[in-house]
Amino acid sequence: MDAIALKQANLAQLPDTIAVPAYARESLVPGIVHIGVGGFYRAHQAVYLDDLLALPGNAEWGYCGVGLLAHDAAMRDAMRSQDGLYTVVERSAAGDFARVIGCVGDYLYAPDDPQAVLEKLADPGTRIVSLTITEGGYYVNQGTGEFDAQHPDIVHELAHPDAPRCSFGYLAAALALRHQRGLPPFTIMSCDNLQNNGDVTRKMLLAFVALRDLELARWLAAHCSFPNSMVDRITPATTDEHRALVRDTFGIVDAWPVVCEPFRQWVIEDEFPQGRPAWEKVGAQMTHDVLPYEKMKLRLLNASHQALCYIGMQLGYTYAHEAMSDAGIRALVRRMMDDEVTPLLDEVEGIDLASYKDTLIERFSNPAVRDQLARIGTEGSARIPKFVLPSVREALAQGGAIKLLAFTVACWFRYLEGHDEQGRDMPLNDPYAARLRALALQGGADATALLSLRELFGDLSDAPAFTQAVGEALASLYGLGARAALEQRVA
């Protein structure tokens, strides 16, 4: 049988084994605008809403997707050519299961029509704006925790407030329109991997808005809600292999499917003054304290991802499950979780930490997902400070161990050089790539230059226990090689 192009008119032709939207898509009202329509959003938040829309009485909560960046043009083309539909494939040892998601009713590409995006955000029907803009998209100076007003994006936005390009610029301009029109602000919900992501969004956005319009900043501080949330689902970047899987196994021609693990979790602070979908009906957990869940997930899952990806790439692995099949890397991940991170965590209601960590090892080792180490290692300048360094600071304050946390930082430093020991490229995808690589090449086995980046390390640049541990680990990576250095650390 020939594969079927993914279009609304063709859904009835798909095999009965593939779930398709069980609701009238034409009746959806886009009450949520989502900025950053990437793989994770489409495998996570959109799936929850798709489940909810299958229940009666929820049509007011459709999504309108927004792309702001030049590279979002490809997503625009894929979504529009497929009527906003796309395929999600869950992969595990039990097999591959496909479904078609239909909750994205429209997709706006800001470079095509900036005003259309602003008007959509300012529309009275837009009650929530959600974000997956990566950890680096919040303009945090990692060393101080304050707003980075010198970032090139922000310098442009302040100079051209009527010609926004980044998410903060669009949010501020749209909120200004709502204020002028007597409309309440929409709720802003970050779905990125940041501890206290709502609080961080509030702090950074208000700092930015205050630089352009102090009255608007005061209005937002009084009336705008920024709920915290914790999100979790391992979602590798879409490849041609995934497109072929969807075509050959499920008979669907999909320009941009998304592949993920079966596991998913979403914990949301229940602060939505303009209303919200009933996410709790489809498995999300609504709470008034997300922090324990966030801290557990970021310090265990995300920090462990950093631990396995950089050493994994140096040892020649491509995928997470390959790295986890290496006894040394597996020991690094488990011991870092058990010995250095778990002692810093609070009890989390309903969670057994030992079982949670067992599940993480199982998830990392899932061969069906084929999660790319290069994907996990992107934007280390944002991820290391958010996922690894908080545990370092707490451990130092409590007199705890940091040997493996420091080794993880050293592995990142070694990765920044750009080639593994066999001369193979290790791709560096980071907003500070040029500066980081220059410092890595300048310092080589000496970590001093990189550790002096106070915008990343802050007070840790002056913490001898940390700088010495990182320095010794980096010297061993260069002097002994990645394998021997790893074995030395986990012996």
Side-chain angles (χ1 to χ4, degrees), residues 224 256 304 392:
C224 192
W256 212 315
S304 295
V392 172

Side-chain angles (χ1 to χ4, degrees), residues 320-331:
H321 71 275
E322 295 174 337
M324 289 301 290
S325 70
D326 185 300
I329 295 178
R330 196 178 185 94

Side-chain angles (χ1 to χ4, degrees), residues 372-394:
Q372 306 97 332
L373 296 180
R375 180 198 73 84
I376 299 170
T378 60
E379 295 196 7
S381 63
R383 295 182 176 187
I384 289 287
K386 290 180 174 68
F387 304 153
V388 178
L389 299 187
S391 290
V392 172
R393 285 191 173 86
E394 283 192 37

Side-chain angles (χ1 to χ4, degrees), residues 249-393:
T249 303
F250 300 104
I252 300 174
V253 178
D254 188 338
W256 212 315
V258 60
V259 170
C260 57
E261 64 174 338
F263 180 93
R264 56 179 157 125
Q265 186 178 19
W266 198 5
V267 184
I268 310 168
E269 185 179 18
D270 200 355
E271 298 292 340
F272 293 84
Q274 307 306 319
R276 64 165 178 83
W279 287 301
E280 69 274 13
K281 293 183 178 179
V282 289
Q285 181 177 349
M286 307 304 299
T287 181
H288 290 289
D289 188 9
V290 174
L291 181 59
Y293 300 91
E294 284 182 326
K295 185 176 179 181
M296 173 191 72
K297 186 259 183 174
L298 298 178
R299 303 284 187 93
L300 292 175
L301 186 154
N302 294 104
S304 295
H305 258 167
Q306 300 297 287
L308 70 89
C309 77
Y310 299 119
I311 188 66
M313 282 188 276
Q314 289 169 56
L315 292 174
Y317 299 120
T318 301
Y319 299 105
H321 71 275
E322 295 174 337
M324 289 301 290
S325 70
D326 185 300
I329 295 178
R330 196 178 185 94
L332 168 68
V333 170
R334 187 74 207 212
R335 291 183 190 175
M336 192 178 85
M337 289 197 295
D338 288 345
D339 300 342
E340 299 185 6
V341 178
T342 299
L344 309 173
L345 298 178
D346 303 317
E347 289 189 11
V348 183
E349 184 179 355
I351 301 291
D352 179 272
L353 279 180
S355 297
Y356 181 77
K357 289 181 288 187
D358 289 342
T359 300
L360 290 183
I361 296 294
E362 180 181 349
R363 293 169 63 195
F364 296 158
S365 304
N366 182 349
V369 172
R370 297 175 67 79
D371 196 10
Q372 306 97 332
L373 296 180
R375 180 198 73 84
I376 299 170
T378 60
E379 295 196 7
S381 63
R383 295 182 176 187
I384 289 287
K386 290 180 174 68
F387 304 153
V388 178
L389 299 187
S391 290
V392 172
R393 285 191 173 86

